[in-house]
Amino acid sequence: MSLIGYAARRLGLAAFVVWAAFTTTFAILYLLPSDPILTMLNRGGEGANVDPAAAAALRAEYGFDKPVIVQYLTRLGAALRGDLGRSMQNGQPVVTTIVDALPQTAVLAATALAIAVVVSSLLASAAVLTGSRGLRHALLSLPPLGAAIPSFWLGLVLLQVFSFRLGWFPATGNTGWQSLVLPAVTLAVPTAAVLTQVLAKSLGSTWEQPFVETARAKGLPRSTVHLRHVVRNGAIPTLTMVAIIIGNTLAGAVVTETVFSRVGVGRLTQSAVMSQDIPLVQGVVVLSAIVFVVVNLAADLVYPVVDPRIARVPATV
Amino acid sequence: MTDLALLAPAATEPVVATAPVPPRRRSRRLAPGLVLALVVLALVLGWAVLPSVFAPADPTQVVAADRLLAPGPGHVFGTDQLGRDIYTRVVHGAAISLSATALAVLIGLVVGSLVGLLSGFVGGRFDDVVMRLVDVLLAIPGLLLAMAIVTALGFGTLKVALAVGISAVAAFARLIRADVVRVRGSAYVEAARVSGVRWWTTLHRHVLPNSLGPVLVLAALELGSAVLAVSALSFLGYGAPPPAPEWGSLISDGRNFLATAWWLTTMPGLVVIAVVLAANRLSRALDREGRTR
Amino acid sequence: MSEPVLLVEGLHVTYRTRRDDVPAVRGVDLRIDAGEVVAVVGESGSGKSTLAHAVIGLLPRGGSITGGRVLLGGQDVAGWSEKQLQRVRGRSVGLVPQDPTVSLNPVKRIGEQIAEVLRQHGLADRRTAAAQAVQILARSGIPDPELRARQYPHELSGGMRQRVLIGIAFACSPRLVIADEPTSALDVTVQRTVLDHLAEVTAEHGTSVLFITHDLGVAAERADRIVVMQHGLVVEEGPTARVLDAPTHAYTRQLLEAAPSLHGARLAPRRPAVAPSGPAGDVLRLEHVTKEFRVGRAPFRALDDVTLALPRGSTLGVVGESGSGKSTLARIALRLVEPTSGTVRIDGEDVTHTRGARLRALRRRVQLVYQNPYASLDPRLSVERIITEPLHAFGIGDRAERTRRALELLDQVALPRTVADRGAAELSGGQRQRVAIARALALRPELLVLDEPVSALDVSVQRQILQLLVDLQAELGLSYLVISHDLAVVRQISDTVAVLHRGLLVEHGPTADLFDHPQAEHTRALLDAIPGARVV
């Protein structure tokens, strides 16, 4: 298969995932409830007084008076032109609303990921390298604990201690690096918990590989063996998970931004669901699918660099 | 002489030697951590089934004099801004939180297992299509998918449970399918086929029992994540309406008193952590049990 | 006498597990003088590999030296720290590991991996190390050394990788090299050239070698002295010729008797033979069978126009190295895969495309015994359940009758009846293979396909299973199709032998003719490569 053919196939697959995410959310959001217009007018309340005229007008505006397949194709066509409809809350286009909020969330997620990667590498390496069984058990019991803590609770506890009691960091807001610390730590904990578990397992099993014995038989110190031979091999399995981990970090931003009252895509999503702003919710889901495929494509490019056994283009196979 | 030599233990080269070992009897004693986990799970189950046995008071009873009392004798978890006892509210909330969790796991388990089993066993084109769909669902973070479903279904504990359950289907399906494919490709299943065993006999005698272990492991693990997901969604405000003492909303309620009354959020949170840890510990024990067999 | 290169005195090694301490080496003495090649021979669990690893302090987690001394060049290294041992490893003791395919770091270039050991011990700096690595590759008989140095391990064949590892072990000219089953993962013909290479390098450097092997044939051919280990103890040691000619310990005699490579004759049944059941003639015929697999776009021909016949009541051995197509042939005979072209006949009937009920009926007559008794038995079922599964499948007999048949089958494969209730997981490898044979016999088949029936077992167990197969054949009038990479195994049970090479049938004939007067060049290469063949 040629390089172009391979690239085309990968891109086709990526487009398929985004399309499927769009279609799935369309099915969930527009087909599941009895009447999306009533849902929108009600905004989740009990309200019985829906003006029939207003409902009809809205119905026509959103095209809900047309057959489902027409609605779907219309929306898909618009989506292909970069138009995901207008938010129910403020009437702004969904795409610009999301794009405006994205940088804040990206900074938060990137900081959290950086913290998680550093912490999990150190923890996993220490757990694998230590000769003390007790220390290893202690280190390896941290990630399950981290994964068991509800992140909204962790955020609140951090607020209590570091904002209200100690006053080190502001409790809310988006200004300055100080406002980033607590949310990033909150968001990093579940990610670091997952990463540490995966890394410790794969570093541990790499240490059992026969080539490690070859390296040790050369007289290399354990630390050199770890850095030069084990880490790269052990990191390969985590690469397959990177898209899922980044996706979950973004989803975690929903909770974190809500707890810390930060502006961002997460908070936007929280309020969109709260007011059943269907177009905006769909926009966020499609965004998450796009992030997923982009990260996966990037991982595909990195793979052959990290692991020479994977040819950049599978020759004839 | 030959058969005596044969009865010597199995070959486990390369390095770990096995000199004659007495017949292996696995010890039935449970690890202390596992015992603790089972106690925690049994306790919260008791809360859910018989709340008034564990906390006879009324969870909604307002006692103006007892407002915002710190944990201490009489009120082990303290009281809230209306003077309600937090321990009582946590105990009475268990039924809501745990039944939502159980429903979510059940949906994920049943639907996911069926899809995975069918996909793995039928194979071919069908398998391809189903797995592509599963891939797409896995591409969307679980919490986000659950939120989208909640948007469509509306709010309430039952709907939150449904949403969490549906968003877990893909993960179950993927795991079961992988396991079915593994067992199906194993030498002993092929051996059964060569012996003339029919495919459905193979399915229920070899494939199902050998795939069951991993399903239980995942179910226990999912129990923990479902507790987290359900409480996260109700923390965000999509769960039961206010007076209900659902765990996530208890924590959420305490937000306004963070600076003055830490126990409002901390105590229910610790209960959630304990339940999740216990479920994960159980999952690990099941996993180990499955692998040593 | 000068100081020995390696002197082990009263060595004890124990593995600490969760439950208890398992002794692996229980008071071993060993001496290796300068330039001497000493082979430590034993079966799995004998402690031979543990002994080798203890010498350079590379015991796996949980293992530790609990007594005795390990003197390397006069210094006791048994209690040395990791730091002290690092100066010894690679510098004065080299290691040639077991399986070359997994013993090189897959993500580092070959050249770097060789250069590393030189730089670690200060024998080269960053610049000179690369050049020296290329020289080492060249001396290892690897063509295009500059190119190979820049390649990754997966781009080299198994034999070449083992040459690289030998190069690494000898890079710093150590006084002692430990070779831990250095060729057991390789095909016989490759094994031969690698062992020759190892012998050359050893002679050139005057290095002493501690050679660990399960194969008495290899030891006989390559060692000056042989040390036999069993259950963590040395049971016999002496000069190679003496140990082979006049073994003093019963276990050594047992090993010698069992060593397939040292044996020529076909095993004789210990039970009276019966006439084969069914019509005379060929029970199995493969006519012009070709099988192609599609690998990407290029079709790969696993079998190319192979014609073979198996007369009723006899044994046909099919021999070949990995990739020869022998396993594909077995699967076609079992109708697990269909050939691309050609005909499969059972008792003259064309069954090439038989399906459904008729295929199921065929399954009753042709049964299979797998290579790996650890994988082919469902770990959840009891032995009785496993053996009677084919009876269940065909609805034969009631519960009592099936139990009776299971016990009868256990008798036939010489297992105690008490194992019927045990789980397969509780049995040893040899016992499991007996259970697998019992299951294959449950339906009273006419033809058994044996796919590497003993390759996962220790030699003494191999011998017992082969004898059992020969006995069962006589007693039940069975026909066997035996697939093996091991000529010596095939020789002990086959009436006729077929040699496959890259999908082609290169030679086919009565066993004795083929072994004594091989016609095809590949057959001769295979025969030559049998370790120990030239010794005995």
Side-chain angles (χ1 to χ4, degrees):
Chain A
M1 203 188 299
S2 70
L3 182 62
I4 294 170
Y6 175 71
R9 222 175 63 92
R10 295 292 316 169
L11 287 174
L13 207 61
F16 167 79
V17 171
V18 175
W19 167 79
F22 177 87
T23 307
T24 311
T25 41
F26 176 85
I28 293 173
L29 291 168
Y30 289 89
L31 302 183
L32 262 188
S34 48
D35 187 341
I37 291 301
L38 291 185
T39 311
M40 288 179 194
L41 287 173
N42 270 341
R43 297 278 163 83
E46 309 295 318
N49 310 326
V50 175
D51 178 6
L58 210 55
R59 195 160 283 149
E61 186 197 328
Y62 278 85
F64 284 127
D65 48 354
K66 304 206 178 73
V68 170
I69 184 72
V70 176
Q71 289 179 40
Y72 171 70
L73 289 176
T74 315
R75 298 208 157 268
L76 184 62
L80 285 176
R81 294 191 303 273
D83 174 12
L84 287 168
R86 282 172 182 278
S87 160
M88 303 290 307
Q89 296 169 91
N90 56 13
Q92 293 296 310
V94 165
V95 174
T96 46
T97 310
I98 291 176
V99 168
D100 286 347
L102 197 53
Q104 298 287 348
T105 305
V107 169
L108 173 63
T111 314
L113 272 176
I115 295 173
V117 167
V118 171
V119 169
S120 60
S121 307
L122 290 177
L123 272 181
S125 293
V128 170
L129 281 176
T130 180
S132 143
R133 192 177 274 208
L135 182 60
R136 187 167 63 244
H137 278 288
L139 288 172
L140 290 181
S141 65
L142 285 177
L145 182 66
I149 298 176
S151 56
F152 54 92
W153 180 83
L154 178 67
L156 294 178
V157 170
L158 290 178
L159 273 179
Q160 246 167 43
V161 176
F162 294 101
S163 296
F164 295 129
R165 191 140 323 156
L166 300 173
W168 290 359
F169 303 105
T172 56
N174 283 55
T175 42
W177 65 269
Q178 293 95 334
S179 74
L180 195 59
V181 174
L182 293 182
V185 169
T186 306
L187 193 50
V189 165
T191 309
V194 173
L195 264 180
T196 308
Q197 280 168 316
V198 174
L199 262 182
K201 198 171 171 189
S202 92
L203 289 178
S205 66
T206 307
W207 264 99
E208 307 289 313
Q209 294 287 312
F211 71 78
V212 169
E213 187 178 277
T214 308
R216 292 190 66 198
K218 290 175 189 170
L220 302 181
R222 281 165 59 86
S223 54
T224 310
V225 173
H226 187 72
L227 291 174
R228 215 183 282 170
H229 292 277
V230 174
V231 167
R232 192 157 147 204
N233 281 285
I236 291 170
T238 54
L239 211 53
T240 55
M241 299 185 54
V242 70
I244 289 181
I245 286 174
I246 289 180
N248 282 332
T249 309
L250 284 178
V254 173
V255 168
T256 314
E257 290 178 358
T258 306
V259 169
F260 291 95
S261 308
R262 282 177 66 87
V263 177
V265 177
R267 180 102 173 284
L268 198 64
T269 314
Q270 192 271 336
S271 69
V273 175
M274 206 63 204
S275 53
Q276 296 190 291
D277 186 345
I278 287 175
L280 191 51
V281 173
Q282 184 178 30
V284 173
V285 174
V286 170
L287 171 75
S288 77
I290 291 173
V291 169
F292 180 84
V293 300
V294 168
V295 173
N296 262 342
L297 285 176
D300 265 11
L301 293 178
V302 175
Y303 248 122
V305 179
V306 180
D307 187 349
R309 283 166 297 182
I310 299 165
R312 192 172 294 269
V313 176
T316 48
V317 178
Chain B
M1 67 123 210
T2 50
D3 285 313
L4 278 179
L6 243 171
L7 289 169
T12 48
E13 276 286 51
V15 228
V16 179
T18 47
V21 175
R24 223 161 50 111
R25 273 267 147 249
R26 260 181 304 119
S27 74
R28 284 278 126 207
R29 258 187 322 152
L30 298 173
L34 181 58
V35 173
L36 192 65
L38 290 174
V39 167
V40 167
L41 291 177
L43 184 67
V44 291
L45 208 66
W47 290 357
V49 178
L50 298 164
S52 24
V53 171
F54 293 89
D58 179 357
T60 53
Q61 192 189 4
V62 177
V63 182
D66 288 353
R67 276 187 298 159
L68 292 177
L69 291 179
H75 298 287
V76 277
F77 284 8
T79 62
D80 68 5
Q81 72 278 13
L82 299 175
R84 295 177 295 195
D85 179 53
I86 297 199
Y87 169 73
T88 308
R89 286 177 66 70
V90 168
V91 169
H92 286 261
I96 314 174
S97 292
L98 289 187
S99 57
T101 304
L103 180 65
V105 174
L106 205 67
I107 292 171
L109 185 69
V110 171
V111 181
S113 302
L114 281 178
V115 171
L117 195 62
L118 216 61
S119 185
F121 205 78
V122 173
R125 267 287 138 78
F126 179 75
D127 184 37
D128 288 348
V129 171
V130 172
M131 280 305 119
R132 267 287 112 75
L133 282 175
V134 164
D135 281 346
V136 170
L137 287 181
L138 287 176
I140 305 169
L143 186 67
L144 218 50
L145 189 60
M147 286 173 75
I149 297 170
V150 163
T151 312
L153 293 177
F155 305 148
T157 310
L158 179 70
K159 288 161 180 171
V160 162
L162 268 174
V164 172
I166 294 172
S167 58
V169 165
F172 271 104
R174 163 58 69 80
L175 179 102
I176 303 302
R177 185 247 178 206
D179 217 61
V180 168
V181 168
R182 177 184 64 81
V183 175
R184 202 177 61 145
S186 70
Y188 58 82
V189 168
E190 194 182 88
R193 221 178 107 206
V194 175
S195 306
V197 178
R198 288 193 173 83
W199 73 265
W200 52 265
T201 316
T202 320
L203 178 70
H204 83 80
R205 185 161 314 140
H206 297 289
V207 180
L208 279 185
N210 279 300
S211 304
L212 197 67
V215 176
L216 288 181
V217 173
L218 189 66
L221 198 64
E222 189 60 32
L223 200 69
S225 7
V227 169
L228 285 179
V230 167
S231 59
L233 287 177
S234 64
F235 170 82
L236 291 173
Y238 314 140
E246 203 285 322
W247 291 348
S249 28
L250 282 185
I251 296 172
S252 178
D253 290 346
R255 285 177 72 186
N256 299 329
F257 302 90
L258 271 187
T260 49
W262 55 269
W263 55 92
L264 288 193
T265 49
T266 307
M267 287 311 187
L270 288 177
V271 171
V272 173
I273 294 174
V275 173
V276 177
L277 279 178
N280 292 354
R281 184 67 185 79
L282 178 66
S283 165
R284 224 155 22 120
L286 288 171
D287 191 25
R288 195 164 293 164
E289 176 81 0
R291 249 179 292 155
T292 50
R293 193 163 44 202
Chain C
M1 189 185 277
S2 68
E3 193 172 82
V5 172
L6 171 69
L7 186 64
V8 175
E9 290 177 340
L11 183 70
H12 285 261
V13 180
T14 305
Y15 287 103
R16 165 159 292 181
T17 67
R18 212 170 261 256
R19 274 176 208 87
D20 44 14
D21 292 353
V22 182
V25 172
R26 305 184 289 166
V28 162
D29 299 323
L30 183 73
R31 179 193 174 98
I32 300 183
D33 286 311
E36 205 182 17
V37 177
V38 175
V40 175
V41 183
E43 297 184 293
S44 47
S46 62
K48 59 184 192 301
S49 205
T50 300
L51 168 66
H53 285 84
V55 168
I56 43 171
L58 283 179
L59 289 168
R61 193 167 261 179
S64 60
I65 296 178
T66 47
R69 303 201 300 163
V70 176
L71 296 160
L72 279 172
Q75 283 182 297
D76 184 5
V77 303
W80 274 18
S81 71
E82 181 70 19
K83 238 195 173 77
Q84 289 171 300
L85 284 167
Q86 277 159 14
R87 284 201 297 275
V88 172
R89 294 181 197 139
R91 183 69 187 88
S92 43
V93 185
L95 175 75
V96 181
Q98 197 158 13
D99 185 351
T101 54
V102 289
S103 293
L104 286 166
N105 185 342
V107 304
K108 279 185 102 65
R109 295 175 200 278
I110 298 288
E112 292 171 46
Q113 299 196 47
I114 301 174
E116 193 175 43
V117 65
L118 297 168
R119 285 175 56 195
Q120 180 63 32
H121 295 288
L123 298 181
D125 58 29
R126 188 179 283 274
R127 272 177 306 116
T128 54
Q132 285 192 38
V134 173
Q135 282 171 19
I136 287 173
L137 280 174
R139 279 204 303 273
S140 303
I142 291 176
D144 292 329
E146 280 96 358
L147 171 73
R148 295 301 183 185
R150 287 195 305 274
Q151 286 185 322
Y152 291 97
H154 70 276
E155 296 171 271
L156 273 63
S157 71
M160 268 204 262
R161 281 187 242 183
Q162 195 58 296
R163 283 168 188 264
V164 170
L165 284 158
I166 290 171
I168 292 173
F170 283 88
C172 300
S173 306
R175 296 192 62 203
L176 174 70
V177 162
I178 297 170
D180 182 11
E181 302 263 13
T183 55
S184 53
L186 301 170
D187 273 335
V188 274
T189 49
V190 181
Q191 177 175 355
R192 167 76 187 281
T193 59
V194 168
L195 287 176
D196 284 349
H197 173 67
L198 183 62
E200 272 168 37
V201 187
T202 310
E204 192 184 310
H205 289 73
T207 316
S208 311
V209 177
L210 171 58
F211 196 109
I212 308 294
T213 180
H214 69 282
D215 190 336
L216 208 51
V218 170
E221 198 173 274
R222 306 287 173 178
D224 303 320
R225 273 193 305 129
I226 289 181
V227 174
V228 180
M229 280 186 74
Q230 185 191 23
H231 299 325
L233 296 169
V234 171
V235 296
E236 174 150 12
E237 74 153 304
T240 302
R242 207 275 296 146
V243 172
L244 292 180
D245 296 339
T248 56
H249 195 276
Y251 181 68
T252 313
R253 279 196 293 274
Q254 191 190 327
L255 273 185
L256 272 170
E257 208 167 282
S261 51
L262 304 176
H263 274 267
R266 188 186 195 281
L267 297 171
R270 296 174 304 188
R271 300 178 200 177
V274 299
S277 57
D282 294 336
V283 62
L284 173 73
R285 282 190 67 85
L286 302 175
E287 294 167 356
H288 306 291
V289 165
T290 294
K291 178 68 189 175
E292 285 182 352
F293 291 106
R294 296 201 77 79
V295 183
R297 272 182 210 172
F300 166 73
R301 193 162 276 205
L303 276 182
D304 193 352
D305 193 26
V306 170
T307 298
L308 278 174
L310 169 57
R312 184 171 287 280
S314 72
T315 302
L316 168 62
V318 177
V319 184
E321 297 187 299
S322 47
S324 63
K326 59 186 192 300
S327 292
T328 307
L329 185 132
R331 295 174 66 80
I332 286 176
L334 282 160
R335 279 299 325 280
L336 282 169
V337 293
E338 279 188 34
T340 310
S341 65
T343 312
V344 182
R345 286 182 197 281
I346 303 279
D347 275 332
E349 183 194 348
D350 183 351
V351 298
T352 320
H353 304 291
T354 304
R355 286 175 188 285
R358 290 180 59 85
L359 183 60
R360 253 169 65 79
L362 195 68
R363 299 257 188 258
R364 291 185 65 159
R365 298 166 58 192
V366 184
Q367 287 285 307
L368 168 69
V369 175
Y370 277 90
Q371 168 174 16
N372 187 345
Y374 294 93
S376 66
L377 306 179
D378 189 333
R380 299 177 47 88
L381 300 185
S382 72
V383 168
E384 182 183 334
R385 243 350 247 256
I386 291 170
I387 297 178
T388 56
E389 178 163 57
L391 302 176
H392 278 281
F394 285 95
I396 296 170
D398 57 22
R399 178 181 279 268
E401 280 168 1
R402 285 197 289 259
T403 302
R404 209 174 319 124
R405 176 78 178 130
L407 295 177
E408 184 185 305
L409 284 162
L410 285 177
D411 291 345
Q412 277 183 342
V413 298
L415 279 175
R417 288 182 166 210
T418 48
V419 304
D421 309 324
R422 313 249 303 259
E426 295 172 53
L427 305 183
S428 71
Q431 288 173 320
R432 288 183 199 208
Q433 200 60 314
R434 284 171 194 254
V435 171
I437 292 170
R439 170 176 61 188
L441 293 176
L443 292 167
R444 305 182 198 278
E446 297 155 42
L447 169 62
L448 278 194
V449 177
L450 305 158
D451 184 5
E452 300 272 10
V454 295
S455 65
L457 307 174
D458 272 335
V459 278
S460 58
V461 183
Q462 278 191 8
R463 168 72 167 212
Q464 291 157 10
I465 296 289
L466 292 176
Q467 183 66 54
L468 173 72
L469 288 169
V470 169
D471 293 347
L472 285 170
Q473 181 168 44
E475 186 180 344
L476 305 172
L478 294 165
S479 312
Y480 289 154
L481 175 64
V482 180
I483 309 293
S484 181
H485 72 284
D486 192 338
L487 273 169
V489 165
V490 163
R491 187 179 205 174
Q492 289 179 75
I493 55 172
S494 300
D495 299 301
T496 52
V497 176
V499 180
L500 285 179
H501 185 48
R502 294 181 185 159
L504 288 164
L505 181 63
V506 295
E507 188 161 2
H508 178 205
T511 308
D513 286 4
L514 190 129
F515 276 81
D516 297 338
H517 311 288
Q519 301 298 312
E521 196 186 323
H522 185 67
T523 314
R524 277 198 294 274
L526 284 177
L527 282 172
D528 260 359
I530 297 179
R534 288 169 294 177
V535 182
V536 180

